Amino acid sequence: MYASRYDPVMNSAVSAPHRPPRRPHAWLAALLLSQLLVAALWWRFGARWGLPAMIASHLPFWWGTLAPGSALFSPVLRRLPTSERVVWLTIDDGPSDDTRAILDLLDAHGAKATFFVVGERARARPELVRAIVERGHGIGNHSQCHPSAWFWALPPRRMRAEIDEAQRTLTALCGRAPRWFRAVAGHANPFLAPALRAHGLARVAWSARGYDAVLSDVTRTIARIERDLAPGAIVLLHEGARHGRNVEMLARLLQRLDALGYRTVLPEPLEVA
């Protein structure tokens, strides 16, 4: 069973809209209409008008795919709906060699986080996933293989497999299915929404990040995050980066959160009709 000591009441959880995609193919109508308009312009005015119109008609779909906060293809949670001085810590890409040190740091500060884990990494180190759950933290789906270079371009079958396999892996390890999903690099092409809907997964982006997956400068990274802190902020963090300083970055961030009077919370999913 899913063994968790987390008490949403004692930890002052914040209710957050949980919005799995309801109409995952709605974008098709917009695409077809836009291309009909392009065809009409091309037929009436030729390539001089038709070509720029075709390029312009594709720009929203590129934006919808590559912009982490875009809700063009599926709803996405960018911050918690609260005026309380609380933040949601989210930690991507684990489990890793950093996981146990991160858990100890969170315990030392009385903090909670959601770990968006990669299915194949969880399967290889199940004891770390169980440790996350046993210490009262959340688990989210972050794909099965984390294809960071190509997630934005995955075709329907491969996209579905990434979500399905990770969900099966994490459900087997945790005893219940994750309810939140973090897209790899934040990218969400049109084929993601049907896979999320099949599992009742709601997509989560972020409102504060320090690029800690690539930057090794702790001071600069924390300054970037602090600049975007606000009530209800969703903070994007990583573990296991090649520079080896993610644990140090989290330690500094937790110190700053304490100094600034912020508490960490786990969101309590609020179903949306």
PDB file of all heavy atoms in Angstrom, residues 50-82:
ATOM      1  N   GLY A  50      -0.497  33.998 -49.546  1.00  0.00           N
ATOM      2  CA  GLY A  50      -0.731  32.667 -49.015  1.00  0.00           C
ATOM      3  C   GLY A  50       0.416  32.123 -48.189  1.00  0.00           C
ATOM      4  O   GLY A  50       0.200  31.509 -47.133  1.00  0.00           O
ATOM      5  N   LEU A  51       1.669  32.344 -48.642  1.00  0.00           N
ATOM      6  CA  LEU A  51       2.811  31.809 -47.907  1.00  0.00           C
ATOM      7  C   LEU A  51       2.965  32.454 -46.531  1.00  0.00           C
ATOM      8  O   LEU A  51       3.105  31.738 -45.527  1.00  0.00           O
ATOM      9  CB  LEU A  51       4.090  31.978 -48.732  1.00  0.00           C
ATOM     10  CG  LEU A  51       5.360  31.392 -48.107  1.00  0.00           C
ATOM     11  CD1 LEU A  51       5.198  29.901 -47.854  1.00  0.00           C
ATOM     12  CD2 LEU A  51       6.571  31.659 -49.010  1.00  0.00           C
ATOM     13  N   PRO A  52       2.946  33.803 -46.432  1.00  0.00           N
ATOM     14  CA  PRO A  52       3.008  34.396 -45.080  1.00  0.00           C
ATOM     15  C   PRO A  52       1.851  33.946 -44.188  1.00  0.00           C
ATOM     16  O   PRO A  52       2.036  33.734 -42.991  1.00  0.00           O
ATOM     17  CB  PRO A  52       2.944  35.898 -45.344  1.00  0.00           C
ATOM     18  CG  PRO A  52       3.430  36.068 -46.740  1.00  0.00           C
ATOM     19  CD  PRO A  52       2.960  34.836 -47.481  1.00  0.00           C
ATOM     20  N   ALA A  53       0.664  33.789 -44.782  1.00  0.00           N
ATOM     21  CA  ALA A  53      -0.482  33.347 -43.985  1.00  0.00           C
ATOM     22  C   ALA A  53      -0.273  31.924 -43.471  1.00  0.00           C
ATOM     23  O   ALA A  53      -0.619  31.608 -42.332  1.00  0.00           O
ATOM     24  CB  ALA A  53      -1.759  33.418 -44.822  1.00  0.00           C
ATOM     25  N   MET A  54       0.308  31.061 -44.298  1.00  0.00           N
ATOM     26  CA  MET A  54       0.569  29.685 -43.869  1.00  0.00           C
ATOM     27  C   MET A  54       1.569  29.653 -42.716  1.00  0.00           C
ATOM     28  O   MET A  54       1.369  28.944 -41.727  1.00  0.00           O
ATOM     29  CB  MET A  54       1.095  28.854 -45.041  1.00  0.00           C
ATOM     30  CG  MET A  54       1.322  27.388 -44.683  1.00  0.00           C
ATOM     31  SD  MET A  54       1.946  26.410 -46.054  1.00  0.00           S
ATOM     32  CE  MET A  54       3.589  27.109 -46.218  1.00  0.00           C
ATOM     33  N   ILE A  55       2.639  30.441 -42.843  1.00  0.00           N
ATOM     34  CA  ILE A  55       3.637  30.495 -41.771  1.00  0.00           C
ATOM     35  C   ILE A  55       3.014  31.014 -40.481  1.00  0.00           C
ATOM     36  O   ILE A  55       3.204  30.449 -39.402  1.00  0.00           O
ATOM     37  CB  ILE A  55       4.827  31.374 -42.198  1.00  0.00           C
ATOM     38  CG1 ILE A  55       5.570  30.707 -43.374  1.00  0.00           C
ATOM     39  CG2 ILE A  55       5.779  31.609 -41.023  1.00  0.00           C
ATOM     40  CD1 ILE A  55       6.633  31.587 -43.995  1.00  0.00           C
ATOM     41  N   ALA A  56       2.235  32.108 -40.617  1.00  0.00           N
ATOM     42  CA  ALA A  56       1.600  32.695 -39.433  1.00  0.00           C
ATOM     43  C   ALA A  56       0.617  31.720 -38.786  1.00  0.00           C
ATOM     44  O   ALA A  56       0.497  31.668 -37.559  1.00  0.00           O
ATOM     45  CB  ALA A  56       0.886  33.984 -39.805  1.00  0.00           C
ATOM     46  N   SER A  57      -0.055  30.908 -39.595  1.00  0.00           N
ATOM     47  CA  SER A  57      -1.054  29.974 -39.044  1.00  0.00           C
ATOM     48  C   SER A  57      -0.410  28.862 -38.222  1.00  0.00           C
ATOM     49  O   SER A  57      -1.062  28.256 -37.379  1.00  0.00           O
ATOM     50  CB  SER A  57      -1.881  29.357 -40.176  1.00  0.00           C
ATOM     51  OG  SER A  57      -1.120  28.424 -40.930  1.00  0.00           O
ATOM     52  N   HIS A  58       0.876  28.599 -38.481  1.00  0.00           N
ATOM     53  CA  HIS A  58       1.558  27.549 -37.728  1.00  0.00           C
ATOM     54  C   HIS A  58       2.209  28.056 -36.446  1.00  0.00           C
ATOM     55  O   HIS A  58       2.529  27.263 -35.556  1.00  0.00           O
ATOM     56  CB  HIS A  58       2.627  26.879 -38.601  1.00  0.00           C
ATOM     57  CG  HIS A  58       2.060  25.931 -39.603  1.00  0.00           C
ATOM     58  ND1 HIS A  58       1.413  26.348 -40.747  1.00  0.00           N
ATOM     59  CD2 HIS A  58       2.017  24.569 -39.628  1.00  0.00           C
ATOM     60  CE1 HIS A  58       1.013  25.293 -41.441  1.00  0.00           C
ATOM     61  NE2 HIS A  58       1.364  24.208 -40.786  1.00  0.00           N
ATOM     62  N   LEU A  59       2.400  29.362 -36.337  1.00  0.00           N
ATOM     63  CA  LEU A  59       3.098  29.897 -35.168  1.00  0.00           C
ATOM     64  C   LEU A  59       2.397  29.574 -33.849  1.00  0.00           C
ATOM     65  O   LEU A  59       3.068  29.216 -32.867  1.00  0.00           O
ATOM     66  CB  LEU A  59       3.296  31.412 -35.324  1.00  0.00           C
ATOM     67  CG  LEU A  59       4.297  31.839 -36.404  1.00  0.00           C
ATOM     68  CD1 LEU A  59       4.361  33.362 -36.486  1.00  0.00           C
ATOM     69  CD2 LEU A  59       5.680  31.262 -36.123  1.00  0.00           C
ATOM     70  N   PRO A  60       1.061  29.708 -33.768  1.00  0.00           N
ATOM     71  CA  PRO A  60       0.418  29.359 -32.484  1.00  0.00           C
ATOM     72  C   PRO A  60       0.652  27.911 -32.076  1.00  0.00           C
ATOM     73  O   PRO A  60       0.766  27.616 -30.880  1.00  0.00           O
ATOM     74  CB  PRO A  60      -1.072  29.622 -32.752  1.00  0.00           C
ATOM     75  CG  PRO A  60      -1.090  30.600 -33.878  1.00  0.00           C
ATOM     76  CD  PRO A  60       0.083  30.245 -34.726  1.00  0.00           C
ATOM     77  N   PHE A  61       0.752  27.002 -33.053  1.00  0.00           N
ATOM     78  CA  PHE A  61       0.959  25.593 -32.714  1.00  0.00           C
ATOM     79  C   PHE A  61       2.391  25.348 -32.246  1.00  0.00           C
ATOM     80  O   PHE A  61       2.619  24.512 -31.355  1.00  0.00           O
ATOM     81  CB  PHE A  61       0.605  24.725 -33.919  1.00  0.00           C
ATOM     82  CG  PHE A  61      -0.858  24.786 -34.276  1.00  0.00           C
ATOM     83  CD1 PHE A  61      -1.320  25.691 -35.214  1.00  0.00           C
ATOM     84  CD2 PHE A  61      -1.769  23.980 -33.624  1.00  0.00           C
ATOM     85  CE1 PHE A  61      -2.673  25.769 -35.519  1.00  0.00           C
ATOM     86  CE2 PHE A  61      -3.125  24.042 -33.918  1.00  0.00           C
ATOM     87  CZ  PHE A  61      -3.581  24.943 -34.866  1.00  0.00           C
ATOM     88  N   TRP A  62       3.348  26.063 -32.806  1.00  0.00           N
ATOM     89  CA  TRP A  62       4.711  25.984 -32.288  1.00  0.00           C
ATOM     90  C   TRP A  62       4.781  26.535 -30.873  1.00  0.00           C
ATOM     91  O   TRP A  62       5.427  25.962 -29.999  1.00  0.00           O
ATOM     92  CB  TRP A  62       5.676  26.757 -33.199  1.00  0.00           C
ATOM     93  CG  TRP A  62       6.055  26.005 -34.423  1.00  0.00           C
ATOM     94  CD1 TRP A  62       5.632  26.228 -35.698  1.00  0.00           C
ATOM     95  CD2 TRP A  62       6.941  24.883 -34.500  1.00  0.00           C
ATOM     96  NE1 TRP A  62       6.190  25.322 -36.563  1.00  0.00           N
ATOM     97  CE2 TRP A  62       7.001  24.480 -35.852  1.00  0.00           C
ATOM     98  CE3 TRP A  62       7.676  24.176 -33.558  1.00  0.00           C
ATOM     99  CZ2 TRP A  62       7.781  23.412 -36.281  1.00  0.00           C
ATOM    100  CZ3 TRP A  62       8.455  23.110 -33.980  1.00  0.00           C
ATOM    101  CH2 TRP A  62       8.510  22.731 -35.322  1.00  0.00           C
ATOM    102  N   TRP A  63       4.101  27.655 -30.653  1.00  0.00           N
ATOM    103  CA  TRP A  63       4.063  28.235 -29.308  1.00  0.00           C
ATOM    104  C   TRP A  63       3.405  27.269 -28.327  1.00  0.00           C
ATOM    105  O   TRP A  63       3.891  27.057 -27.206  1.00  0.00           O
ATOM    106  CB  TRP A  63       3.308  29.563 -29.327  1.00  0.00           C
ATOM    107  CG  TRP A  63       3.061  30.136 -27.967  1.00  0.00           C
ATOM    108  CD1 TRP A  63       3.943  30.806 -27.179  1.00  0.00           C
ATOM    109  CD2 TRP A  63       1.826  30.086 -27.234  1.00  0.00           C
ATOM    110  NE1 TRP A  63       3.346  31.176 -25.996  1.00  0.00           N
ATOM    111  CE2 TRP A  63       2.050  30.752 -25.999  1.00  0.00           C
ATOM    112  CE3 TRP A  63       0.565  29.562 -27.497  1.00  0.00           C
ATOM    113  CZ2 TRP A  63       1.055  30.891 -25.044  1.00  0.00           C
ATOM    114  CZ3 TRP A  63      -0.428  29.695 -26.547  1.00  0.00           C
ATOM    115  CH2 TRP A  63      -0.171  30.354 -25.331  1.00  0.00           C
ATOM    116  N   GLY A  64       2.309  26.658 -28.744  1.00  0.00           N
ATOM    117  CA  GLY A  64       1.611  25.714 -27.878  1.00  0.00           C
ATOM    118  C   GLY A  64       2.453  24.516 -27.516  1.00  0.00           C
ATOM    119  O   GLY A  64       2.306  23.938 -26.435  1.00  0.00           O
ATOM    120  N   THR A  65       3.362  24.122 -28.388  1.00  0.00           N
ATOM    121  CA  THR A  65       4.221  22.974 -28.141  1.00  0.00           C
ATOM    122  C   THR A  65       5.418  23.317 -27.271  1.00  0.00           C
ATOM    123  O   THR A  65       5.770  22.571 -26.349  1.00  0.00           O
ATOM    124  CB  THR A  65       4.709  22.390 -29.479  1.00  0.00           C
ATOM    125  OG1 THR A  65       3.585  21.926 -30.229  1.00  0.00           O
ATOM    126  CG2 THR A  65       5.682  21.237 -29.251  1.00  0.00           C
ATOM    127  N   LEU A  66       6.056  24.453 -27.546  1.00  0.00           N
ATOM    128  CA  LEU A  66       7.353  24.745 -26.933  1.00  0.00           C
ATOM    129  C   LEU A  66       7.282  25.627 -25.691  1.00  0.00           C
ATOM    130  O   LEU A  66       8.213  25.622 -24.885  1.00  0.00           O
ATOM    131  CB  LEU A  66       8.268  25.407 -27.974  1.00  0.00           C
ATOM    132  CG  LEU A  66       8.560  24.548 -29.213  1.00  0.00           C
ATOM    133  CD1 LEU A  66       9.412  25.328 -30.205  1.00  0.00           C
ATOM    134  CD2 LEU A  66       9.242  23.240 -28.831  1.00  0.00           C
ATOM    135  N   ALA A  67       6.213  26.384 -25.513  1.00  0.00           N
ATOM    136  CA  ALA A  67       6.103  27.264 -24.344  1.00  0.00           C
ATOM    137  C   ALA A  67       5.588  26.460 -23.148  1.00  0.00           C
ATOM    138  O   ALA A  67       4.465  25.929 -23.197  1.00  0.00           O
ATOM    139  CB  ALA A  67       5.155  28.429 -24.632  1.00  0.00           C
ATOM    140  N   PRO A  68       6.369  26.348 -22.072  1.00  0.00           N
ATOM    141  CA  PRO A  68       5.973  25.494 -20.945  1.00  0.00           C
ATOM    142  C   PRO A  68       4.628  25.854 -20.323  1.00  0.00           C
ATOM    143  O   PRO A  68       3.936  24.978 -19.806  1.00  0.00           O
ATOM    144  CB  PRO A  68       7.113  25.685 -19.941  1.00  0.00           C
ATOM    145  CG  PRO A  68       8.288  26.064 -20.778  1.00  0.00           C
ATOM    146  CD  PRO A  68       7.729  26.900 -21.893  1.00  0.00           C
ATOM    147  N   GLY A  69       4.261  27.121 -20.362  1.00  0.00           N
ATOM    148  CA  GLY A  69       3.009  27.522 -19.730  1.00  0.00           C
ATOM    149  C   GLY A  69       1.831  27.562 -20.661  1.00  0.00           C
ATOM    150  O   GLY A  69       0.729  27.970 -20.264  1.00  0.00           O
ATOM    151  N   SER A  70       2.012  27.134 -21.901  1.00  0.00           N
ATOM    152  CA  SER A  70       0.923  27.202 -22.873  1.00  0.00           C
ATOM    153  C   SER A  70      -0.163  26.180 -22.572  1.00  0.00           C
ATOM    154  O   SER A  70       0.119  25.000 -22.340  1.00  0.00           O
ATOM    155  CB  SER A  70       1.455  26.964 -24.285  1.00  0.00           C
ATOM    156  OG  SER A  70       0.378  26.761 -25.192  1.00  0.00           O
ATOM    157  N   ALA A  71      -1.411  26.637 -22.605  1.00  0.00           N
ATOM    158  CA  ALA A  71      -2.549  25.749 -22.394  1.00  0.00           C
ATOM    159  C   ALA A  71      -3.301  25.497 -23.703  1.00  0.00           C
ATOM    160  O   ALA A  71      -4.469  25.135 -23.686  1.00  0.00           O
ATOM    161  CB  ALA A  71      -3.498  26.355 -21.360  1.00  0.00           C
ATOM    162  N   LEU A  72      -2.618  25.672 -24.847  1.00  0.00           N
ATOM    163  CA  LEU A  72      -3.293  25.509 -26.135  1.00  0.00           C
ATOM    164  C   LEU A  72      -3.810  24.085 -26.326  1.00  0.00           C
ATOM    165  O   LEU A  72      -4.919  23.884 -26.808  1.00  0.00           O
ATOM    166  CB  LEU A  72      -2.332  25.876 -27.274  1.00  0.00           C
ATOM    167  CG  LEU A  72      -2.914  25.791 -28.692  1.00  0.00           C
ATOM    168  CD1 LEU A  72      -4.047  26.789 -28.865  1.00  0.00           C
ATOM    169  CD2 LEU A  72      -1.825  26.046 -29.738  1.00  0.00           C
ATOM    170  N   PHE A  73      -3.011  23.088 -25.962  1.00  0.00           N
ATOM    171  CA  PHE A  73      -3.394  21.702 -26.196  1.00  0.00           C
ATOM    172  C   PHE A  73      -3.953  21.000 -24.968  1.00  0.00           C
ATOM    173  O   PHE A  73      -4.603  19.960 -25.098  1.00  0.00           O
ATOM    174  CB  PHE A  73      -2.181  20.915 -26.707  1.00  0.00           C
ATOM    175  CG  PHE A  73      -1.618  21.452 -27.988  1.00  0.00           C
ATOM    176  CD1 PHE A  73      -0.278  21.774 -28.084  1.00  0.00           C
ATOM    177  CD2 PHE A  73      -2.422  21.658 -29.100  1.00  0.00           C
ATOM    178  CE1 PHE A  73       0.253  22.272 -29.261  1.00  0.00           C
ATOM    179  CE2 PHE A  73      -1.910  22.166 -30.279  1.00  0.00           C
ATOM    180  CZ  PHE A  73      -0.569  22.481 -30.359  1.00  0.00           C
ATOM    181  N   SER A  74      -3.675  21.530 -23.789  1.00  0.00           N
ATOM    182  CA  SER A  74      -4.218  20.928 -22.569  1.00  0.00           C
ATOM    183  C   SER A  74      -4.127  21.948 -21.447  1.00  0.00           C
ATOM    184  O   SER A  74      -3.245  22.820 -21.460  1.00  0.00           O
ATOM    185  CB  SER A  74      -3.443  19.669 -22.180  1.00  0.00           C
ATOM    186  OG  SER A  74      -2.112  19.986 -21.813  1.00  0.00           O
ATOM    187  N   PRO A  75      -5.014  21.864 -20.451  1.00  0.00           N
ATOM    188  CA  PRO A  75      -4.887  22.760 -19.299  1.00  0.00           C
ATOM    189  C   PRO A  75      -3.553  22.545 -18.608  1.00  0.00           C
ATOM    190  O   PRO A  75      -2.994  21.443 -18.626  1.00  0.00           O
ATOM    191  CB  PRO A  75      -6.058  22.333 -18.395  1.00  0.00           C
ATOM    192  CG  PRO A  75      -6.982  21.576 -19.286  1.00  0.00           C
ATOM    193  CD  PRO A  75      -6.139  20.930 -20.330  1.00  0.00           C
ATOM    194  N   VAL A  76      -3.035  23.592 -17.983  1.00  0.00           N
ATOM    195  CA  VAL A  76      -1.759  23.478 -17.277  1.00  0.00           C
ATOM    196  C   VAL A  76      -1.804  24.363 -16.042  1.00  0.00           C
ATOM    197  O   VAL A  76      -2.275  25.500 -16.091  1.00  0.00           O
ATOM    198  CB  VAL A  76      -0.577  23.860 -18.197  1.00  0.00           C
ATOM    199  CG1 VAL A  76      -0.712  25.267 -18.740  1.00  0.00           C
ATOM    200  CG2 VAL A  76       0.751  23.673 -17.474  1.00  0.00           C
ATOM    201  N   LEU A  77      -1.337  23.824 -14.918  1.00  0.00           N
ATOM    202  CA  LEU A  77      -1.300  24.572 -13.660  1.00  0.00           C
ATOM    203  C   LEU A  77       0.044  25.281 -13.558  1.00  0.00           C
ATOM    204  O   LEU A  77       1.095  24.636 -13.582  1.00  0.00           O
ATOM    205  CB  LEU A  77      -1.493  23.610 -12.485  1.00  0.00           C
ATOM    206  CG  LEU A  77      -1.540  24.248 -11.081  1.00  0.00           C
ATOM    207  CD1 LEU A  77      -2.752  25.152 -10.938  1.00  0.00           C
ATOM    208  CD2 LEU A  77      -1.550  23.152 -10.011  1.00  0.00           C
ATOM    209  N   ARG A  78       0.007  26.627 -13.451  1.00  0.00           N
ATOM    210  CA  ARG A  78       1.243  27.420 -13.414  1.00  0.00           C
ATOM    211  C   ARG A  78       1.546  27.963 -12.029  1.00  0.00           C
ATOM    212  O   ARG A  78       2.671  28.342 -11.744  1.00  0.00           O
ATOM    213  CB  ARG A  78       1.161  28.565 -14.425  1.00  0.00           C
ATOM    214  CG  ARG A  78       1.172  28.092 -15.868  1.00  0.00           C
ATOM    215  CD  ARG A  78       1.101  29.258 -16.829  1.00  0.00           C
ATOM    216  NE  ARG A  78      -0.216  29.845 -16.859  1.00  0.00           N
ATOM    217  CZ  ARG A  78      -1.144  29.533 -17.757  1.00  0.00           C
ATOM    218  NH1 ARG A  78      -0.890  28.635 -18.682  1.00  0.00           N
ATOM    219  NH2 ARG A  78      -2.332  30.104 -17.728  1.00  0.00           N
ATOM    220  N   ARG A  79       0.548  28.071 -11.172  1.00  0.00           N
ATOM    221  CA  ARG A  79       0.752  28.507  -9.799  1.00  0.00           C
ATOM    222  C   ARG A  79      -0.434  28.033  -8.969  1.00  0.00           C
ATOM    223  O   ARG A  79      -1.496  27.706  -9.519  1.00  0.00           O
ATOM    224  CB  ARG A  79       0.917  30.027  -9.689  1.00  0.00           C
ATOM    225  CG  ARG A  79      -0.304  30.831 -10.111  1.00  0.00           C
ATOM    226  CD  ARG A  79      -0.105  32.316  -9.869  1.00  0.00           C
ATOM    227  NE  ARG A  79       0.112  32.611  -8.480  1.00  0.00           N
ATOM    228  CZ  ARG A  79      -0.854  32.747  -7.577  1.00  0.00           C
ATOM    229  NH1 ARG A  79      -2.126  32.573  -7.920  1.00  0.00           N
ATOM    230  NH2 ARG A  79      -0.564  33.038  -6.321  1.00  0.00           N
ATOM    231  N   LEU A  80      -0.262  27.994  -7.658  1.00  0.00           N
ATOM    232  CA  LEU A  80      -1.348  27.615  -6.768  1.00  0.00           C
ATOM    233  C   LEU A  80      -2.248  28.813  -6.516  1.00  0.00           C
ATOM    234  O   LEU A  80      -1.757  29.932  -6.322  1.00  0.00           O
ATOM    235  CB  LEU A  80      -0.791  27.106  -5.441  1.00  0.00           C
ATOM    236  CG  LEU A  80       0.123  25.886  -5.507  1.00  0.00           C
ATOM    237  CD1 LEU A  80       0.629  25.538  -4.109  1.00  0.00           C
ATOM    238  CD2 LEU A  80      -0.592  24.700  -6.126  1.00  0.00           C
ATOM    239  N   PRO A  81      -3.560  28.613  -6.506  1.00  0.00           N
ATOM    240  CA  PRO A  81      -4.497  29.727  -6.331  1.00  0.00           C
ATOM    241  C   PRO A  81      -4.639  30.102  -4.856  1.00  0.00           C
ATOM    242  O   PRO A  81      -5.591  29.711  -4.186  1.00  0.00           O
ATOM    243  CB  PRO A  81      -5.801  29.171  -6.901  1.00  0.00           C
ATOM    244  CG  PRO A  81      -5.717  27.703  -6.637  1.00  0.00           C
ATOM    245  CD  PRO A  81      -4.255  27.341  -6.760  1.00  0.00           C
ATOM    246  N   THR A  82      -3.679  30.834  -4.342  1.00  0.00           N
ATOM    247  CA  THR A  82      -3.709  31.211  -2.935  1.00  0.00           C
ATOM    248  C   THR A  82      -2.997  32.539  -2.734  1.00  0.00           C
ATOM    249  O   THR A  82      -2.110  32.895  -3.512  1.00  0.00           O
ATOM    250  CB  THR A  82      -3.020  30.130  -2.066  1.00  0.00           C
ATOM    251  OG1 THR A  82      -3.076  30.518  -0.698  1.00  0.00           O
ATOM    252  CG2 THR A  82      -1.575  29.945  -2.470  1.00  0.00           C
TER     253      THR A  82
END
